[in-house]
Amino acid sequence: MTTAFDLNDDSLVVIVGSGAGGGTLSQELAEKGIRCVVLEAGKRFERSDIENDEWKMFSKITWLDKRITAGPTALTQTSPNLPTWLVKGVGGATIHWAGVSLRFQEHEFKMHSLNGDIAGANVLDWPISYADLAPYYEKAEAKLGVTGTKASGLPYHEPSSHFKVIAEGSKRVGAHCRPAPLAINTQARDGRPACQVTGFCMQGCRFGAKWSTMESSIPKAEATGNIEVRPDSMVLRIEHDKTGKVTGVLYVDKAGNQHFQKARLVAVAANSIESPRLLLNSASDMFPEGMANSSGQVGKNYMTHTGTGIYGEMPDTVNMHKSPVVPGLVSTWADNDPSRGHVAGYELEILHIGLPFMSAFLKPGGWGRELANSLANYENMAGFWICGEDLAVESNSITLHPTEKDQYGLPIPVVYKGNHANDTAMIKHSNQQATAILEAAGATKVNVMDRYPASHNMGTNRMSERPQDGVVNKWGQSHDIQNLFISDGSQFTSSGAENPTLTIVALAIRQAEYIADQMQKQMI
Ligand SMILES: Cc1cc2nc3c(=O)[nH]c(=O)nc-3n(C[C@H](O)[C@H](O)[C@H](O)COP(=O)(O)OP(=O)(O)OC[C@H]3O[C@@H](n4cnc5c(N)ncnc54)[C@H](O)[C@@H]3O)c2cc1C
Ligand code: SF4
């Protein structure tokens, strides 16, 4: 039986968004007996909707509502309306993700203590440490079924030819290549089958071998009878009473009808672009600068990871696509060693993209013999996506466009992203190391890609010890409004060098415990 809750039920938790943060939170709360409504702007996809076709899936699931790309990077020219690559649908960007599941390193929670003030940046320590999060990382690894971890008991994936080529190149330059911990089953587990090695993980896995909230958390939450998921429900604003306490949300359904859903508590998990946008769009007489924004930090400190793509053309066939998307990692430079000319570190992540995306991203807008030759060499390519820490910078931000509105009548977001000098130094260093590995493996030509739309989006509602430095406290609870929480990647205080999802999931599990406790004590 499908659960349905009343719009006037003010005992409910309302969760905005069903991706890594919102989907996980819904399952955790539902399993504790807490009743929730999940409002999701996108439609409900089934496994049968997934196709092994890059562009078809791009048009089917991508968030294509208008956004403006701003800032001095090439992306402003090449993707003026697609600054980020996100999903609109039940499951959010976990439909898209490659499954790489890395813990943050201890030092990444303490970037300010470690490096002090950095000119032009707005770096801050997290209000939690690695030790605070470690037990939740373990729970998250068990939940997602992360390969190579004790928590899941799953072995790593077999090394692909792509992995072997990079591992050999790494060895020759004195670096170490290791298998990637992936939330992709190597054996049947938790009701999901083993990976079939088709290589279309970023289009959504049509077998269900890859963990996603669409595949796992949401159905499990629904099975408790404590959750109602309302797809095609775009939240327009959050409302509050005269004390400032949140009372519910206004949303619009597929037919264009508006509804007000009452709530005891609202958890915003709409991703690092839409979550701050929703808070800014919820400005009122009491909160003229937007909700939860007494610090002025809502929408600020947007981080994406330094992210360059770098692909070598090998003398022989590699067939990099015959593998899960990310078979391995080189973590040799993931530490914080300022003697390299930059603080913080980066992961070199072996990653394949299919020929259709390679044609679009290798040299956006490019043409001619040289590009055609490289694309003709696709089956000989091997390479990386570089995931480097992106420092918090206040001007990197999400703001509301002064005049342009979307289909719901809301100001569209302007996504501004520039590179800090530290990013530029890190990109230079990481490109050199990646090139050296590829050349040591035999590459006759190395292609460096310009930045493509950001797939990792963090910051914009950051956690802080002091209310004046950030938007939420160490539980993701608004410093200003007790019954308002942020439950997605926008809580991140720093980006780390690691892909964000495992940390988002660990934070959501931890947050659910806190919410349940506070509700039980009648504090919320
Ligand atoms: C191609 C690709 C590959 C990736 N690979 C990896 C990887 O290997 N490892 C990793 O750790 N991460 C990876 N990521 C990143 C990861 O998917 C995201 O970091 C993560 O899903 C973010 O979770 P979130 O909860 O912040 O937001 P999302 O997962 O984006 O969820 C937000 C949800 O909110 C909904 N929403 C937005 N606004 C509203 C509104 N106003 N009302 C109602 N609903 C709303 C959206 O439709 C969406 O479903 C990848 C991302 C992409 C795009
Ligand atoms: S490689 Fe594995 S996880 Fe990726 S799409 Fe194929 S079956 Fe799914």
Side-chain angles (χ1 to χ4, degrees), residues 205-442:
C205 176
R206 60 190 295 185
F207 300 98
K210 183 185 77 169
W211 177 89
S212 67
T213 58
M214 170 195 124
E215 189 67 54
S216 183
S217 315
I218 296 285
K220 284 184 180 181
E222 287 176 321
T224 66
N226 289 324
I227 289 278
E228 181 188 352
V229 179
R230 294 186 199 146
D232 300 301
S233 299
M234 174 77 180
V235 177
L236 307 175
R237 56 183 287 122
I238 305 168
E239 298 286 0
H240 61 85
D241 64 17
K242 55 179 187 299
T243 69
K245 203 174 133 194
V246 161
T247 52
V249 302
L250 181 70
Y251 72 95
V252 58
D253 68 16
K254 196 176 181 180
N257 298 316
Q258 292 194 4
H259 309 276
F260 183 70
Q261 174 64 56
K262 287 190 179 173
R264 175 170 172 181
L265 180 159
V266 172
V268 181
N271 72 52
S272 296
I273 315 298
E274 295 303 315
S275 289
R277 179 180 180 225
L278 178 58
L279 296 180
L280 294 172
N281 274 330
S282 302
S284 62
D285 287 347
M286 192 170 187
F287 302 119
E289 303 305 323
M291 203 166 255
N293 198 15
S294 64
S295 62
Q297 294 292 306
V298 171
K300 305 278 172 63
N301 312 306
Y302 170 55
M303 301 173 286
T304 64
H305 283 141
T306 50
T308 319
I310 183 154
Y311 288 86
E313 295 170 35
M314 300 296 159
D316 221 328
T317 311
V318 179
N319 279 334
M320 62 175 172
H321 57 287
K322 292 188 175 174
S323 160
V325 165
V326 181
L329 310 161
V330 178
S331 306
T332 308
W333 299 281
D335 58 342
N336 184 71
D337 176 5
S339 72
R340 290 197 294 262
H342 60 83
V343 301
Y346 57 85
E347 298 276 354
L348 297 181
E349 304 196 345
I350 308 173
L351 178 142
H352 80 254
I353 47 181
L355 182 57
F357 276 2
M358 186 61 85
S359 315
F361 296 145
L362 191 60
K363 199 169 183 357
W367 64 288
R369 176 52 50 205
E370 202 188 330
L371 178 61
N373 284 342
S374 289
L375 291 172
N377 243 344
Y378 175 78
E379 65 181 16
N380 287 21
M381 280 187 184
F384 300 103
W385 180 75
I386 302 174
C387 189
E389 171 136 3
D390 186 10
L391 296 187
V393 170
E394 211 172 270
S395 57
N396 288 335
S397 59
I398 314 305
T399 52
L400 301 180
H401 195 281
T403 53
E404 253 194 272
K405 303 259 173 30
D406 67 7
Q407 69 269 40
Y408 309 106
L410 298 171
I412 63 167
V414 179
V415 181
Y416 183 98
K417 182 73 178 76
N419 278 342
H420 187 273
N422 196 70
D423 306 343
T424 311
M426 188 187 289
I427 290 168
K428 188 170 166 219
H429 192 274
S430 54
N431 283 354
Q432 281 167 351
Q433 305 312 316
T435 302
I437 291 173
L438 295 170
E439 287 179 346

Side-chain angles (χ1 to χ4, degrees), residues 16-21 39-41 63 85-89 92-94 96-100 202 233-235 269-271 274 455-456 488-489 499-501 504:
V16 184
S18 62
L39 297 170
E40 166 54 55
W63 183 288
W85 193 5
L86 286 164
V87 172
K88 189 174 188 180
T94 66
H96 237 334
W97 79 315
V100 181
M202 292 204 304
S233 299
M234 174 77 180
V235 177
N271 72 52
E274 295 303 315
S455 48
H456 296 178
D488 58 14
N499 315 49
T501 304
I504 297 174

